[in-house]
Amino acid sequence: MTMTHDAHEAYPRYSPEQVLKDGCGECAQRSAQPALAISKMDPQTFVRAWARSVKFANDELPDVAAAEVPVLDILWAVRNQLPLAWAYISAEIDKERGR
Ligand SMILES: [Zn+2]
C-alpha cells in the first residue's frame, strides 16, 4: 500500500531541511522503521540526512524533528564505524563488482 505524506508545512516545528517531519503519518511510519526509511531515500535526501546526523550528534541541529532522530542515530553510528572498517568494506564492494 502506498501512503502519502500529510501537508508538512502545517506543523509548527516544520523545517524544509528535516528528512522526516513531525505530525505526518507517513513520516511517523518511516520513523518507526528507520532502516526502511533510509533505503527509500533519494540520494539528495540521504546526503542531507548524513550531514544532519553529524550536526545532531554535535548538538548543532536546532530544527531537529523527533521523527528523524532514529534515522540520524543510525547514520551517525555507521559514520563512526566507516573510517575503521572502510578498507574491508571497499574490498567487499570491489569483490561484488568483480574487480
Ligand atoms: Zn511526511
Side-chain angles (χ1 to χ4, degrees):
M1 190 180 100
T2 307
M3 283 195 60
T4 54
H5 292 272
D6 303 327
H8 289 147
E9 297 81 355
Y11 293 92
R13 288 181 42 82
Y14 167 78
S15 157
E17 294 301 308
Q18 294 163 345
V19 295
L20 295 172
K21 275 77 170 175
D22 291 337
C24 168
E26 172 67 16
C27 285
Q29 207 169 66
R30 292 187 188 201
S31 180
Q33 296 179 283
L36 188 64
I38 291 168
S39 56
K40 282 185 171 181
M41 284 176 182
D42 58 58
Q44 292 90 338
T45 304
F46 181 82
V47 169
R48 198 168 79 242
W50 188 273
R52 287 178 68 77
S53 76
V54 175
K55 287 184 178 174
F56 180 63
N58 290 318
D59 206 16
E60 295 168 351
L61 199 61
D63 65 342
V64 66
E68 65 182 339
V69 168
V71 164
L72 301 183
D73 280 344
I74 288 176
L75 294 180
W76 178 246
V78 171
R79 185 246 170 269
N80 285 325
Q81 291 290 348
L82 275 182
L84 304 170
W86 183 247
Y88 172 80
I89 292 168
S90 63
E92 286 296 305
I93 292 171
D94 284 349
K95 220 186 290 175
E96 284 171 19
R97 290 176 174 169
R99 288 195 295 221

